[in-house]
Amino acid sequence: MKYKNIIAGAIITLGTMSCDKFLDLQPISEETSDNAYGKASQMESALVGAYETFQSSEYYVWDHVVFSDVRSDNAYAGGDNPEVFEADLLTITPINSRVFRNWSEIYNGILKANTVIEKIELIEDPALSEVRKDQIKGEALFLRAYHYFTLVKLHGGVPLILTPTKSTDPNDVRVPRNTVDEVYAQIITDLNLSASLLPDYYTDENGNDLGGSTNKARATAGAANALLAKVYAQHKEWDNALEAIQKVENSTAGYMLLSDYNHLFDGEHYNNEESILEVQYLGTDEGNFGPQLLLPPSISGDTWRKFVTPSQNLIAAYDAEGDNVRKGAAVLFESVDWVDEYWGNASGSTIPFSYKWKKAMGWASTDRPYLLRFGDIVLLKAEALNEIGNTSLALVEINKIRTRVNLANFSGLSQAELREKILNERRLELAQEGHRWDDLVRQNKAVSTMNNLVEIDLRTGRAVNYDMTDAKILLPIPQQELDRNPALDQNPL
C-alpha cells in the first residue's frame, strides 16, 4: 500500500504580512544555511517548517492511534501490516520500522523547533517586531515541548537535545538518555516560558482577532497551558495540573464544550470553540491520508481490509453505558467481503469501523485531528480533583461531559469508584483520538486491563493472551538508533 505524501500547508498570516504572501512561503529547508535566517519572512518560513511535522510525521497522522487505541483495549489492528499486529498483540520489537520512523520524524521536528529557538534570538530585521519575535520563540518552545512529551510517554527517558545539531562528530551526536524526570522538567520549563510569550489569540495590526483558522492552527497561551496540564497530570502533579487548567478556563480565547458532540467530528465544524489546537488539513496536496486507512468501502471506495477496527470490548463499553451518541459518532457498522478474526470469520460479516474521521477523499482528506481539545481538559480536571480528594467538584466536571451526550449524572461515589468512572468516561469520550494507553498508564491500569481483557480469536475459538508486563508499558528504543548511538541503552523487553 502506498501512502500519499503530505506537503505541509503554510500557517495563516500574522501581523502586517498578507495572507497570500504568507502562503507563498516555503519551508526553510529549501533555503541555504548561509542565508536562511536573516529576514523576517525567513523566520516565519522556518516556523512553517516546524509546524509541518504535525502533517508529515506518520505518528501524528495516525500512528498515535495505533500506539494508543490499537495497543490498548479500544481497537484491533485490522488491515494487513505485521507491525500494526505487533502493536495489537503487544509484541513490539526494537526492529519495528514504525517505531524507528516515528522516533526519527519526531526528533526531526525537535531539530526544526530548536533551529527556530536559536535563530530568532539573532535576527535583526526591523520588519520583525519584538512582540512577534517573542511569539515565534513561544511557538517553537511549545512545539519542542509537545514532541518531547510524545517521546517520553512512548519511550521513557530520551536524549534531551536543545540546540540544533551542527556536527557529525561522534562526541556531539552520540547523546545518552536523560531520565524521565529530566525530560519532564524540560517540557515544563519550555511550556511555562511558552505560555508567558504567547497571546490568548492572534490579532492583526489593528488589533482585530484573526479567528479560528489562525488561533486553532498555531500555539497560543491556552494551548501551552492545556498541554502543561496534561504533562503535569501524566507526571501525577495534580495541584499543578489544576493550576494550568484554571489558566485554560480563564483564557480570553473562550474555550467551551460544544453543545452537540457530533459537531466535533462531522467535518463541518473545524476550528470550533472546543478545539484548542488542530492540524489544518486542507485537502488535495495538503490532505490527510489517515481516513483512507480506516473508513469502510462505502466511504473510502476501497475493497481492502481497513485498519483500527473497534474492539468488542469498546463496543460493549458504549452499550453498557447506553452511550448511543458517542458510539454513533465514533463507530460505523458495515458488512464486508473480508474475514475479520474478531467480528466475523466469514465473508459478508458486519463489522465496526473507526468513524471519527468521516471523509476519505482519495488519500487527501480535510479531516483534522485534534492535538488538544477542551473536552479532554474538562475530564482531566475531574481526574485531578478526584485525586486530591475533592470528589464533589470532580463530579461536577464529569457530569458536564455526560450531560452533553444525554447520560445521567453520577452522584454519591467514593474516590475509588469515581476514579474508575472517570477512566471509563475518558475512554468513551476520547476513543480513536490517541489517549487510551496514556490514561491506562497514568492510572496504573495498563497491565491489569490488558491481562484481564477477553478477546476471542474466532479462527481458534480461544482468548488472546496479551501477556502484558510492566516492561511493555514503554516502546523499545529503535534498534537502528541503538546501532547509530552506542551511548543509548535499551528499555527492558
Side-chain angles (χ1 to χ4, degrees):
M1 186 184 307
K2 295 182 179 179
Y3 298 152
K4 186 182 185 302
N5 291 325
I6 303 299
I7 301 174
I11 306 163
I12 302 299
T13 180
L14 297 178
T16 60
M17 188 180 296
S18 72
C19 182
D20 289 342
K21 183 175 179 181
F22 194 91
L23 291 173
D24 286 339
L25 294 176
Q26 298 298 315
I28 200 68
S29 58
E30 297 186 14
E31 304 210 33
T32 67
S33 58
D34 291 337
N35 64 9
Y37 304 103
K39 300 177 183 178
S41 62
Q42 292 168 326
M43 287 310 307
E44 297 286 4
S45 198
L47 187 61
V48 169
Y51 275 103
E52 183 266 348
T53 297
F54 287 138
Q55 286 188 316
S56 64
S57 166
E58 195 145 340
Y59 181 82
Y60 294 118
V61 175
W62 79 297
D63 270 2
H64 66 291
V65 180
V66 171
F67 287 115
S68 184
D69 291 79
V70 170
R71 191 158 51 133
S72 72
D73 51 352
N74 272 3
Y76 312 122
D80 60 356
N81 187 303
E83 293 183 330
V84 180
F85 283 113
E86 285 187 12
D88 185 359
L89 300 174
L90 304 180
T91 58
I92 302 167
T93 68
I95 61 172
N96 186 299
S97 68
R98 308 186 81 84
V99 175
F100 176 61
R101 180 175 59 246
N102 293 336
W103 173 285
S104 300
E105 290 175 349
I106 293 168
Y107 263 111
N108 181 258
I110 290 169
L111 169 62
K112 289 186 284 188
N114 281 339
T115 300
V116 173
I117 293 166
E118 179 182 86
K119 298 300 182 181
I120 194 64
E121 300 289 354
L122 306 176
I123 192 168
E124 297 179 353
D125 185 350
L128 194 65
S129 70
E130 290 301 315
V131 170
R132 183 62 192 134
K133 285 175 68 173
D134 282 348
Q135 290 175 350
I136 289 173
K137 182 176 180 180
E139 290 178 79
L141 286 165
F142 172 88
L143 294 173
R144 184 169 73 181
Y146 197 106
H147 296 323
Y148 271 121
F149 188 42
T150 298
L151 286 171
V152 75
K153 290 184 296 178
L154 290 173
H155 299 282
V158 295
L160 277 174
I161 301 172
L162 305 178
T163 59
T165 303
K166 303 182 181 70
S167 168
T168 58
D169 186 289
N171 292 326
D172 295 325
V173 298
R174 293 178 178 176
V175 182
R177 299 173 67 171
N178 289 80
T179 67
V180 168
D181 285 344
E182 287 170 339
V183 177
Y184 270 99
Q186 185 62 51
I187 293 168
I188 291 166
T189 296
D190 282 354
L191 288 175
N192 276 316
L193 180 54
S194 174
S196 73
L197 295 173
L198 291 175
D200 281 355
Y201 55 89
Y202 292 95
T203 60
D204 63 18
E205 64 272 21
N206 297 316
N208 299 312
D209 185 347
L210 288 173
S213 59
T214 295
N215 296 316
K216 312 297 184 176
R218 60 198 317 159
T220 58
N225 283 313
L227 184 57
L228 190 59
K230 291 178 68 64
V231 169
Y232 278 131
Q234 204 67 26
H235 208 226
K236 300 184 180 180
E237 298 181 46
W238 301 111
D239 288 320
N240 288 332
L242 286 167
E243 183 178 344
I245 290 168
Q246 185 174 32
K247 292 177 181 178
V248 177
E249 294 174 330
N250 292 341
S251 170
T252 57
Y255 305 115
M256 64 182 69
L257 296 175
L258 295 185
S259 59
D260 189 335
Y261 183 82
N262 288 292
H263 286 178
L264 289 165
F265 306 105
D266 64 2
E268 305 300 329
H269 295 83
Y270 298 133
N271 301 319
N272 55 67
E273 293 92 341
E274 188 165 336
S275 173
I276 298 175
L277 189 67
E278 65 188 66
V279 183
Q280 303 290 305
Y281 286 114
L282 304 176
T284 62
D285 61 348
E286 296 171 9
N288 180 2
F289 67 77
Q292 194 82 26
L293 298 167
L294 311 186
L295 288 169
S298 65
I299 297 175
S300 67
D302 297 325
T303 57
W304 44 267
R305 186 184 183 194
K306 296 312 183 82
F307 293 88
V308 191
T309 305
S311 69
Q312 293 269 5
N313 192 270
L314 176 64
I315 300 303
Y318 280 122
D319 292 344
E321 204 63 36
D323 191 352
N324 297 320
V325 172
R326 290 183 294 199
K327 179 183 175 183
V331 180
L332 181 66
F333 281 84
E334 187 168 304
S335 62
V336 298
D337 293 333
W338 61 80
V339 171
D340 186 281
E341 61 268 37
Y342 298 102
W343 284 98
N345 60 349
S347 179
S349 298
T350 297
I351 70 168
F353 290 83
S354 293
Y355 192 50
K356 279 191 171 175
W357 293 333
K358 293 179 170 58
K359 299 178 179 181
M361 300 173 67
W363 302 95
S365 176
T366 55
D367 280 328
R368 299 178 179 181
Y370 293 104
L371 297 170
L372 294 164
R373 74 172 174 95
F374 191 62
D376 175 14
I377 301 303
V378 171
L379 283 172
L380 207 63
K381 182 178 181 181
E383 185 175 347
L385 286 166
N386 190 55
E387 293 301 329
I388 65 170
N390 198 333
T391 302
S392 59
L393 287 182
L395 283 166
V396 171
E397 300 302 319
I398 191 173
N399 286 335
K400 291 177 184 177
I401 297 292
R402 292 178 61 80
T403 297
R404 169 164 69 172
V405 293
N406 306 319
L407 296 179
N409 285 355
F410 290 135
S411 62
L413 299 175
S414 68
Q415 183 186 47
E417 290 169 335
L418 184 53
R419 182 179 292 119
E420 294 298 321
K421 295 293 187 183
I422 292 169
L423 184 61
N424 189 60
E425 200 70 28
R426 287 185 61 82
R427 183 186 193 188
L428 304 180
E429 175 76 16
L430 301 167
Q432 301 165 25
E433 296 180 58
H435 296 276
R436 180 61 171 169
W437 191 262
D438 296 339
D439 290 349
L440 291 173
V441 171
R442 184 174 63 254
Q443 286 296 336
N444 299 315
K445 293 286 188 178
V447 173
S448 61
T449 296
M450 297 311 296
N451 283 335
N452 292 332
L453 183 61
V454 178
E455 293 285 6
I456 305 298
D457 186 331
L458 299 177
R459 297 169 299 182
T460 64
R462 296 178 180 176
V464 178
N465 180 12
Y466 290 99
D467 190 26
M468 179 62 186
T469 65
D470 286 334
K472 292 182 180 181
I473 289 174
L474 297 176
L475 296 180
I477 303 298
Q479 187 60 50
Q480 296 96 319
E481 198 64 20
L482 292 171
D483 294 341
R484 185 193 68 83
N485 180 5
L488 292 177
D489 59 288
Q490 184 59 275
N491 284 327
L493 298 175

PDB file of all heavy atoms in Angstrom, residues 3 34 37 41 61 66 76 78 98 102 140 144 150 160 196 201 209 216 272 312 355 385 389 395 435 469:
ATOM      1  N   TYR A   3       1.252   5.231   0.720  1.00  0.00           N
ATOM      2  CA  TYR A   3       0.636   6.348   1.421  1.00  0.00           C
ATOM      3  C   TYR A   3       0.960   7.629   0.671  1.00  0.00           C
ATOM      4  O   TYR A   3       2.074   7.835   0.226  1.00  0.00           O
ATOM      5  CB  TYR A   3       1.192   6.473   2.846  1.00  0.00           C
ATOM      6  CG  TYR A   3       0.914   5.281   3.708  1.00  0.00           C
ATOM      7  CD1 TYR A   3       1.782   4.963   4.747  1.00  0.00           C
ATOM      8  CD2 TYR A   3      -0.198   4.483   3.483  1.00  0.00           C
ATOM      9  CE1 TYR A   3       1.530   3.867   5.544  1.00  0.00           C
ATOM     10  CE2 TYR A   3      -0.444   3.392   4.287  1.00  0.00           C
ATOM     11  CZ  TYR A   3       0.422   3.092   5.308  1.00  0.00           C
ATOM     12  OH  TYR A   3       0.187   2.020   6.107  1.00  0.00           O
ATOM     13  N   ASP A  34      23.416  29.319   4.751  1.00  0.00           N
ATOM     14  CA  ASP A  34      24.163  30.566   4.864  1.00  0.00           C
ATOM     15  C   ASP A  34      23.247  31.787   4.894  1.00  0.00           C
ATOM     16  O   ASP A  34      23.571  32.806   5.496  1.00  0.00           O
ATOM     17  CB  ASP A  34      25.143  30.706   3.693  1.00  0.00           C
ATOM     18  CG  ASP A  34      26.284  29.695   3.787  1.00  0.00           C
ATOM     19  OD1 ASP A  34      26.565  29.221   4.915  1.00  0.00           O
ATOM     20  OD2 ASP A  34      26.883  29.392   2.735  1.00  0.00           O
ATOM     21  N   TYR A  37      18.370  32.685   7.613  1.00  0.00           N
ATOM     22  CA  TYR A  37      17.773  33.202   8.846  1.00  0.00           C
ATOM     23  C   TYR A  37      18.057  34.684   9.065  1.00  0.00           C
ATOM     24  O   TYR A  37      18.228  35.132  10.198  1.00  0.00           O
ATOM     25  CB  TYR A  37      18.283  32.406  10.042  1.00  0.00           C
ATOM     26  CG  TYR A  37      18.029  30.920   9.905  1.00  0.00           C
ATOM     27  CD1 TYR A  37      19.062  30.062   9.543  1.00  0.00           C
ATOM     28  CD2 TYR A  37      16.765  30.393  10.110  1.00  0.00           C
ATOM     29  CE1 TYR A  37      18.829  28.701   9.403  1.00  0.00           C
ATOM     30  CE2 TYR A  37      16.521  29.046   9.971  1.00  0.00           C
ATOM     31  CZ  TYR A  37      17.559  28.202   9.616  1.00  0.00           C
ATOM     32  OH  TYR A  37      17.324  26.858   9.470  1.00  0.00           O
ATOM     33  N   SER A  41      10.666  37.195   6.915  1.00  0.00           N
ATOM     34  CA  SER A  41       9.945  36.185   6.148  1.00  0.00           C
ATOM     35  C   SER A  41      10.599  34.819   6.266  1.00  0.00           C
ATOM     36  O   SER A  41       9.924  33.784   6.250  1.00  0.00           O
ATOM     37  CB  SER A  41       9.860  36.597   4.680  1.00  0.00           C
ATOM     38  OG  SER A  41      11.157  36.687   4.113  1.00  0.00           O
ATOM     39  N   VAL A  61      -0.082  11.655  12.078  1.00  0.00           N
ATOM     40  CA  VAL A  61      -1.160  11.381  11.134  1.00  0.00           C
ATOM     41  C   VAL A  61      -2.052  10.269  11.668  1.00  0.00           C
ATOM     42  O   VAL A  61      -3.271  10.441  11.782  1.00  0.00           O
ATOM     43  CB  VAL A  61      -0.606  11.009   9.743  1.00  0.00           C
ATOM     44  CG1 VAL A  61      -1.742  10.601   8.810  1.00  0.00           C
ATOM     45  CG2 VAL A  61       0.163  12.180   9.138  1.00  0.00           C
ATOM     46  N   VAL A  66      -2.589   4.058  16.482  1.00  0.00           N
ATOM     47  CA  VAL A  66      -2.067   2.690  16.532  1.00  0.00           C
ATOM     48  C   VAL A  66      -1.436   2.400  17.888  1.00  0.00           C
ATOM     49  O   VAL A  66      -1.712   1.375  18.520  1.00  0.00           O
ATOM     50  CB  VAL A  66      -1.046   2.457  15.397  1.00  0.00           C
ATOM     51  CG1 VAL A  66      -0.327   1.117  15.582  1.00  0.00           C
ATOM     52  CG2 VAL A  66      -1.733   2.518  14.042  1.00  0.00           C
ATOM     53  N   TYR A  76      -8.600  -3.307  17.411  1.00  0.00           N
ATOM     54  CA  TYR A  76      -7.716  -4.324  16.838  1.00  0.00           C
ATOM     55  C   TYR A  76      -6.932  -3.694  15.694  1.00  0.00           C
ATOM     56  O   TYR A  76      -7.285  -2.624  15.194  1.00  0.00           O
ATOM     57  CB  TYR A  76      -8.514  -5.500  16.290  1.00  0.00           C
ATOM     58  CG  TYR A  76      -9.574  -6.043  17.204  1.00  0.00           C
ATOM     59  CD1 TYR A  76     -10.906  -6.087  16.805  1.00  0.00           C
ATOM     60  CD2 TYR A  76      -9.250  -6.526  18.467  1.00  0.00           C
ATOM     61  CE1 TYR A  76     -11.896  -6.602  17.625  1.00  0.00           C
ATOM     62  CE2 TYR A  76     -10.237  -7.044  19.292  1.00  0.00           C
ATOM     63  CZ  TYR A  76     -11.555  -7.076  18.880  1.00  0.00           C
ATOM     64  OH  TYR A  76     -12.528  -7.580  19.702  1.00  0.00           O
ATOM     65  N   GLY A  78      -6.660  -4.701  12.521  1.00  0.00           N
ATOM     66  CA  GLY A  78      -7.260  -4.676  11.204  1.00  0.00           C
ATOM     67  C   GLY A  78      -6.164  -4.712  10.144  1.00  0.00           C
ATOM     68  O   GLY A  78      -5.002  -5.005  10.434  1.00  0.00           O
ATOM     69  N   ARG A  98       8.035   1.081  12.257  1.00  0.00           N
ATOM     70  CA  ARG A  98       7.175   2.197  12.653  1.00  0.00           C
ATOM     71  C   ARG A  98       7.764   2.913  13.861  1.00  0.00           C
ATOM     72  O   ARG A  98       7.695   4.143  13.971  1.00  0.00           O
ATOM     73  CB  ARG A  98       5.763   1.709  12.967  1.00  0.00           C
ATOM     74  CG  ARG A  98       5.123   0.858  11.904  1.00  0.00           C
ATOM     75  CD  ARG A  98       3.685   0.525  12.218  1.00  0.00           C
ATOM     76  NE  ARG A  98       2.831   1.623  11.851  1.00  0.00           N
ATOM     77  CZ  ARG A  98       2.366   1.823  10.614  1.00  0.00           C
ATOM     78  NH1 ARG A  98       2.714   1.002   9.646  1.00  0.00           N
ATOM     79  NH2 ARG A  98       1.571   2.842  10.348  1.00  0.00           N
ATOM     80  N   ASN A 102       8.855   6.819  13.602  1.00  0.00           N
ATOM     81  CA  ASN A 102       8.278   7.816  14.495  1.00  0.00           C
ATOM     82  C   ASN A 102       9.344   8.532  15.309  1.00  0.00           C
ATOM     83  O   ASN A 102       9.320   9.757  15.459  1.00  0.00           O
ATOM     84  CB  ASN A 102       7.255   7.157  15.422  1.00  0.00           C
ATOM     85  CG  ASN A 102       6.029   6.667  14.685  1.00  0.00           C
ATOM     86  OD1 ASN A 102       5.699   7.161  13.613  1.00  0.00           O
ATOM     87  ND2 ASN A 102       5.353   5.677  15.238  1.00  0.00           N
ATOM     88  N   ALA A 140       7.770  27.968  18.991  1.00  0.00           N
ATOM     89  CA  ALA A 140       8.784  26.919  18.823  1.00  0.00           C
ATOM     90  C   ALA A 140       9.013  26.158  20.123  1.00  0.00           C
ATOM     91  O   ALA A 140       9.218  24.936  20.108  1.00  0.00           O
ATOM     92  CB  ALA A 140      10.093  27.540  18.322  1.00  0.00           C
ATOM     93  N   ARG A 144       8.548  22.097  20.601  1.00  0.00           N
ATOM     94  CA  ARG A 144       9.569  21.220  21.190  1.00  0.00           C
ATOM     95  C   ARG A 144       9.001  20.462  22.377  1.00  0.00           C
ATOM     96  O   ARG A 144       9.229  19.245  22.530  1.00  0.00           O
ATOM     97  CB  ARG A 144      10.793  22.044  21.606  1.00  0.00           C
ATOM     98  CG  ARG A 144      11.927  21.176  22.146  1.00  0.00           C
ATOM     99  CD  ARG A 144      13.206  21.970  22.306  1.00  0.00           C
ATOM    100  NE  ARG A 144      13.179  22.894  23.438  1.00  0.00           N
ATOM    101  CZ  ARG A 144      14.179  23.711  23.754  1.00  0.00           C
ATOM    102  NH1 ARG A 144      15.267  23.756  22.992  1.00  0.00           N
ATOM    103  NH2 ARG A 144      14.087  24.502  24.797  1.00  0.00           N
ATOM    104  N   THR A 150       5.510  13.637  23.701  1.00  0.00           N
ATOM    105  CA  THR A 150       5.221  12.432  22.928  1.00  0.00           C
ATOM    106  C   THR A 150       6.279  11.368  23.157  1.00  0.00           C
ATOM    107  O   THR A 150       5.971  10.204  23.434  1.00  0.00           O
ATOM    108  CB  THR A 150       5.135  12.771  21.434  1.00  0.00           C
ATOM    109  OG1 THR A 150       4.057  13.689  21.212  1.00  0.00           O
ATOM    110  CG2 THR A 150       4.919  11.519  20.592  1.00  0.00           C
ATOM    111  N   LEU A 160      17.826  14.516  25.620  1.00  0.00           N
ATOM    112  CA  LEU A 160      17.373  15.901  25.506  1.00  0.00           C
ATOM    113  C   LEU A 160      18.372  16.655  24.627  1.00  0.00           C
ATOM    114  O   LEU A 160      19.518  16.889  25.022  1.00  0.00           O
ATOM    115  CB  LEU A 160      17.293  16.562  26.881  1.00  0.00           C
ATOM    116  CG  LEU A 160      16.036  16.321  27.703  1.00  0.00           C
ATOM    117  CD1 LEU A 160      16.187  16.930  29.094  1.00  0.00           C
ATOM    118  CD2 LEU A 160      14.792  16.886  27.007  1.00  0.00           C
ATOM    119  N   SER A 196       4.103  32.283  28.678  1.00  0.00           N
ATOM    120  CA  SER A 196       4.363  33.684  29.009  1.00  0.00           C
ATOM    121  C   SER A 196       4.623  34.535  27.772  1.00  0.00           C
ATOM    122  O   SER A 196       4.456  35.760  27.808  1.00  0.00           O
ATOM    123  CB  SER A 196       5.551  33.790  29.970  1.00  0.00           C
ATOM    124  OG  SER A 196       6.781  33.534  29.304  1.00  0.00           O
ATOM    125  N   TYR A 201      -4.964  34.908  21.840  1.00  0.00           N
ATOM    126  CA  TYR A 201      -5.350  34.807  20.434  1.00  0.00           C
ATOM    127  C   TYR A 201      -4.549  35.839  19.644  1.00  0.00           C
ATOM    128  O   TYR A 201      -4.046  36.821  20.191  1.00  0.00           O
ATOM    129  CB  TYR A 201      -6.857  35.012  20.236  1.00  0.00           C
ATOM    130  CG  TYR A 201      -7.401  36.305  20.801  1.00  0.00           C
ATOM    131  CD1 TYR A 201      -7.439  37.479  20.034  1.00  0.00           C
ATOM    132  CD2 TYR A 201      -7.890  36.366  22.104  1.00  0.00           C
ATOM    133  CE1 TYR A 201      -7.925  38.666  20.554  1.00  0.00           C
ATOM    134  CE2 TYR A 201      -8.381  37.540  22.636  1.00  0.00           C
ATOM    135  CZ  TYR A 201      -8.400  38.689  21.855  1.00  0.00           C
ATOM    136  OH  TYR A 201      -8.883  39.861  22.376  1.00  0.00           O
ATOM    137  N   ASP A 209      -9.087  40.267  16.063  1.00  0.00           N
ATOM    138  CA  ASP A 209      -8.881  38.826  16.217  1.00  0.00           C
ATOM    139  C   ASP A 209      -8.812  38.173  14.836  1.00  0.00           C
ATOM    140  O   ASP A 209      -9.701  38.362  14.001  1.00  0.00           O
ATOM    141  CB  ASP A 209     -10.036  38.254  17.037  1.00  0.00           C
ATOM    142  CG  ASP A 209      -9.883  36.779  17.369  1.00  0.00           C
ATOM    143  OD1 ASP A 209      -9.013  36.106  16.777  1.00  0.00           O
ATOM    144  OD2 ASP A 209     -10.652  36.297  18.218  1.00  0.00           O
ATOM    145  N   LYS A 216      -6.515  28.309  16.100  1.00  0.00           N
ATOM    146  CA  LYS A 216      -6.540  26.859  16.291  1.00  0.00           C
ATOM    147  C   LYS A 216      -5.441  26.179  15.493  1.00  0.00           C
ATOM    148  O   LYS A 216      -5.232  24.974  15.634  1.00  0.00           O
ATOM    149  CB  LYS A 216      -7.895  26.285  15.860  1.00  0.00           C
ATOM    150  CG  LYS A 216      -9.108  27.011  16.406  1.00  0.00           C
ATOM    151  CD  LYS A 216      -9.210  26.962  17.917  1.00  0.00           C
ATOM    152  CE  LYS A 216     -10.517  27.628  18.374  1.00  0.00           C
ATOM    153  NZ  LYS A 216     -10.701  27.525  19.832  1.00  0.00           N
ATOM    154  N   ASN A 272     -13.572  24.903  15.995  1.00  0.00           N
ATOM    155  CA  ASN A 272     -14.715  25.262  16.830  1.00  0.00           C
ATOM    156  C   ASN A 272     -14.272  25.709  18.218  1.00  0.00           C
ATOM    157  O   ASN A 272     -13.074  25.699  18.546  1.00  0.00           O
ATOM    158  CB  ASN A 272     -15.670  24.076  16.925  1.00  0.00           C
ATOM    159  CG  ASN A 272     -14.969  22.818  17.432  1.00  0.00           C
ATOM    160  OD1 ASN A 272     -14.536  22.756  18.579  1.00  0.00           O
ATOM    161  ND2 ASN A 272     -14.841  21.815  16.571  1.00  0.00           N
ATOM    162  N   GLN A 312     -14.483  -5.521  20.346  1.00  0.00           N
ATOM    163  CA  GLN A 312     -15.686  -5.999  21.018  1.00  0.00           C
ATOM    164  C   GLN A 312     -15.832  -5.330  22.381  1.00  0.00           C
ATOM    165  O   GLN A 312     -16.927  -4.959  22.809  1.00  0.00           O
ATOM    166  CB  GLN A 312     -15.611  -7.523  21.182  1.00  0.00           C
ATOM    167  CG  GLN A 312     -15.657  -8.313  19.895  1.00  0.00           C
ATOM    168  CD  GLN A 312     -17.066  -8.708  19.489  1.00  0.00           C
ATOM    169  OE1 GLN A 312     -18.042  -8.305  20.121  1.00  0.00           O
ATOM    170  NE2 GLN A 312     -17.172  -9.503  18.424  1.00  0.00           N
ATOM    171  N   TYR A 355     -14.734   5.798  13.016  1.00  0.00           N
ATOM    172  CA  TYR A 355     -15.567   6.715  12.242  1.00  0.00           C
ATOM    173  C   TYR A 355     -15.465   8.176  12.702  1.00  0.00           C
ATOM    174  O   TYR A 355     -16.243   9.018  12.253  1.00  0.00           O
ATOM    175  CB  TYR A 355     -17.019   6.229  12.310  1.00  0.00           C
ATOM    176  CG  TYR A 355     -17.983   6.884  11.354  1.00  0.00           C
ATOM    177  CD1 TYR A 355     -17.697   6.983  10.001  1.00  0.00           C
ATOM    178  CD2 TYR A 355     -19.207   7.391  11.810  1.00  0.00           C
ATOM    179  CE1 TYR A 355     -18.598   7.571   9.127  1.00  0.00           C
ATOM    180  CE2 TYR A 355     -20.108   7.980  10.941  1.00  0.00           C
ATOM    181  CZ  TYR A 355     -19.795   8.068   9.595  1.00  0.00           C
ATOM    182  OH  TYR A 355     -20.693   8.647   8.736  1.00  0.00           O
ATOM    183  N   LEU A 385      -9.088  16.683  40.356  1.00  0.00           N
ATOM    184  CA  LEU A 385      -9.854  16.999  41.563  1.00  0.00           C
ATOM    185  C   LEU A 385     -10.110  15.745  42.387  1.00  0.00           C
ATOM    186  O   LEU A 385      -9.993  15.758  43.624  1.00  0.00           O
ATOM    187  CB  LEU A 385     -11.184  17.650  41.173  1.00  0.00           C
ATOM    188  CG  LEU A 385     -11.113  19.103  40.691  1.00  0.00           C
ATOM    189  CD1 LEU A 385     -12.424  19.505  40.028  1.00  0.00           C
ATOM    190  CD2 LEU A 385     -10.771  20.047  41.834  1.00  0.00           C
ATOM    191  N   GLY A 389      -8.770  14.443  46.334  1.00  0.00           N
ATOM    192  CA  GLY A 389      -9.797  14.183  47.328  1.00  0.00           C
ATOM    193  C   GLY A 389     -11.029  15.046  47.235  1.00  0.00           C
ATOM    194  O   GLY A 389     -11.920  14.947  48.093  1.00  0.00           O
ATOM    195  N   LEU A 395     -17.184  15.466  40.450  1.00  0.00           N
ATOM    196  CA  LEU A 395     -18.469  15.036  39.897  1.00  0.00           C
ATOM    197  C   LEU A 395     -19.087  16.116  39.005  1.00  0.00           C
ATOM    198  O   LEU A 395     -19.690  15.810  37.967  1.00  0.00           O
ATOM    199  CB  LEU A 395     -19.434  14.674  41.023  1.00  0.00           C
ATOM    200  CG  LEU A 395     -19.191  13.326  41.695  1.00  0.00           C
ATOM    201  CD1 LEU A 395     -19.967  13.232  43.003  1.00  0.00           C
ATOM    202  CD2 LEU A 395     -19.581  12.172  40.762  1.00  0.00           C
ATOM    203  N   HIS A 435      -5.557   8.572  23.172  1.00  0.00           N
ATOM    204  CA  HIS A 435      -5.379   8.857  24.596  1.00  0.00           C
ATOM    205  C   HIS A 435      -5.414   7.619  25.492  1.00  0.00           C
ATOM    206  O   HIS A 435      -4.964   7.682  26.635  1.00  0.00           O
ATOM    207  CB  HIS A 435      -6.472   9.824  25.078  1.00  0.00           C
ATOM    208  CG  HIS A 435      -6.429  11.171  24.460  1.00  0.00           C
ATOM    209  ND1 HIS A 435      -5.621  12.187  24.915  1.00  0.00           N
ATOM    210  CD2 HIS A 435      -7.102  11.676  23.394  1.00  0.00           C
ATOM    211  CE1 HIS A 435      -5.796  13.266  24.170  1.00  0.00           C
ATOM    212  NE2 HIS A 435      -6.688  12.980  23.237  1.00  0.00           N
ATOM    213  N   THR A 469       3.109  -7.005  30.555  1.00  0.00           N
ATOM    214  CA  THR A 469       4.038  -6.846  31.674  1.00  0.00           C
ATOM    215  C   THR A 469       4.384  -5.378  31.840  1.00  0.00           C
ATOM    216  O   THR A 469       4.132  -4.558  30.945  1.00  0.00           O
ATOM    217  CB  THR A 469       5.334  -7.639  31.422  1.00  0.00           C
ATOM    218  OG1 THR A 469       6.005  -7.075  30.284  1.00  0.00           O
ATOM    219  CG2 THR A 469       5.044  -9.121  31.176  1.00  0.00           C
TER     220      THR A 469
END
